[in-house]
Amino acid sequence: MNKVNVIDIIRGTTVDGPGFRTSIYFAGCCHECDGCHNPQSWDFNAGNPMSIDELIEIVAEEDFDVTLSGGDPLYHVDFMVALADRIHALTHNVWLYTGFTWEQIVMDPNLSRILRHVDVIVDSPFVSTLKDADLLFRGSSNQRIIDVSKSLSSGKIVVWSRD
């Protein structure tokens, strides 16, 4: 997979994780959450095809930590693993938003490949009846901000916190 369709790149945002970040919104999602703030991202053919090299050029230029969102980046897991590794090589952390739950990711041999390549996962589908505008970095109360390395080390979900 040389290129994946990108809907948008937001430079210097503060809503998709701590500090200023470069948020990359990938095309394609089958979760189709009711009340999704980005339903145009469901279409896998939306946006413009971009390579890892093209994305890394933008990430390096901006010099912020990175958030991978969508759509759902895990529908392109091979691309995300390679991209996250390149982002880490620039010494930036990587957050990933997904409609899959942690439990689904851990149990799936394909999806679980991402776990050693990202720092934080915001999991679970958006649920409009659980929407809460006061939540930090997520839209509904069922979504969890998971510290990936601590969760993998402990064998249980460890919720991310600002240290």
Side-chain angles (χ1 to χ4, degrees), residues 16-31:
D16 294 328
F20 288 100
R21 309 186 71 79
T22 299
S23 288
I24 306 169
Y25 294 86
F26 294 93
C29 186
C30 297
H31 302 295

Side-chain angles (χ1 to χ4, degrees), residues 29-70:
C29 186
C30 297
H31 302 295
E32 297 185 6
C33 303
D34 182 45
C36 174
H37 79 283
N38 205 8
Q40 69 275 18
S41 69
W42 298 352
D43 181 357
F44 284 84
N45 296 312
N48 297 302
M50 294 187 75
S51 69
I52 289 174
D53 288 341
E54 291 169 312
L55 293 169
I56 288 299
E57 186 176 316
I58 293 166
V59 169
E61 178 182 302
E62 292 303 311
D63 201 30
F64 298 132
D65 290 331
V66 177
T67 298
L68 309 175
S69 192

Side-chain angles (χ1 to χ4, degrees), residues 98-117:
T98 181
F100 292 101
T101 65
W102 175 264
E103 293 80 5
Q104 289 172 311
I105 296 166
V106 170
M107 295 301 294
D108 185 293
N110 186 46
L111 295 179
S112 65
R113 294 181 304 117
I114 197 66
L115 295 174
R116 303 240 180 246
H117 303 275

